């Protein structure tokens, strides 16, 4: 997808604060952080959303990287949140699947 910002970041065509790149996914710092730790874990391949992602092994990789990063960022003990916004009403603004890792402060519920 040549107009997709996360494809461009994955290929190195667009700059981002890269935190980790391993296997078929990468993690970057969110440009508009909502918590002291706010990372996005992104499959390198263009996968639009959860409907496209299920059944592909990449979901396991994305979640495994999130758990590893939560440990590395010191969040495993205190807790954190993983979020995938799906579609318009779910709040998805970038149509390339990504998992938000949020932590470093108490997070409220329900979401807005
Ligand atoms: P969502 O609303 O779930 O689709 O999340 C998209 C996220 O991508 C938002 O939290 C944005 O702040 C973030 N974002 C958009 N553009 C960039 C970028 N170039 N680099 C890093 N994060 C971005
Ligand atoms: Zn893409």
């Amino acid at each position: 997808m040549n107009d997709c910002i996360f494809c461009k970041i994955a290929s190195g065509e667009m700059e981002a604060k890269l935190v980790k790149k391993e296997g078929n996914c990468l993690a970057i710092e969110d440009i508009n952080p909502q918590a002291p730790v706010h990372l996005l874990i992104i499959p390198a391949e263009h996968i639009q959303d959860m409907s496209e992602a299920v059944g592909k092994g990449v979901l396991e990789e994305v979640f495994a990287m999130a758990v590893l990063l939560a440990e590395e960022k010191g969040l495993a003990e205190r807790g954190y949140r993983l979020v995938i916004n799906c579609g318009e009403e779910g709040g998805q603004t970038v149509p390339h699947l990504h998992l938000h890792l949020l932590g470093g402060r108490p997070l409220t519920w329900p979401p807005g």
Side-chain angles (χ1 to χ4, degrees):
M1 286 281 275
N2 47 20
D3 61 344
C4 170
I5 56 171
F6 288 172
C7 280
K8 287 183 179 168
I9 288 171
S11 70
E13 189 186 334
M14 188 183 276
E15 275 200 34
K17 287 192 179 160
L18 188 69
V19 177
K20 198 179 273 298
K21 192 167 189 184
E22 241 169 60
N24 298 306
C25 26
L26 60 147
I28 62 169
E29 287 183 12
D30 196 291
I31 206 168
N32 182 23
Q34 301 301 309
V37 177
H38 187 173
L39 304 179
L40 303 174
I41 299 100
I42 303 170
E45 178 195 350
H46 185 83
I47 295 171
Q48 184 166 320
D49 53 24
M50 281 299 292
S51 330
E52 263 186 39
V54 286
K56 297 186 180 166
V58 74
L59 272 183
E60 169 64 26
E61 278 191 61
V62 164
F63 279 94
M65 187 179 278
V67 169
L68 186 65
L69 285 164
E71 285 164 6
E72 287 177 4
K73 297 285 178 185
L75 300 176
E77 294 290 313
R78 47 194 300 197
Y80 57 90
R81 188 170 294 167
L82 299 176
V83 176
I84 297 179
N85 294 322
C86 301
E88 197 179 336
E89 288 200 358
Q92 183 175 7
T93 58
V94 178
H96 178 136
L97 185 84
H98 49 282
L99 176 63
H100 295 257
L101 167 60
L102 297 145
R105 69 168 170 86
L107 298 162
T108 56
W109 193 265

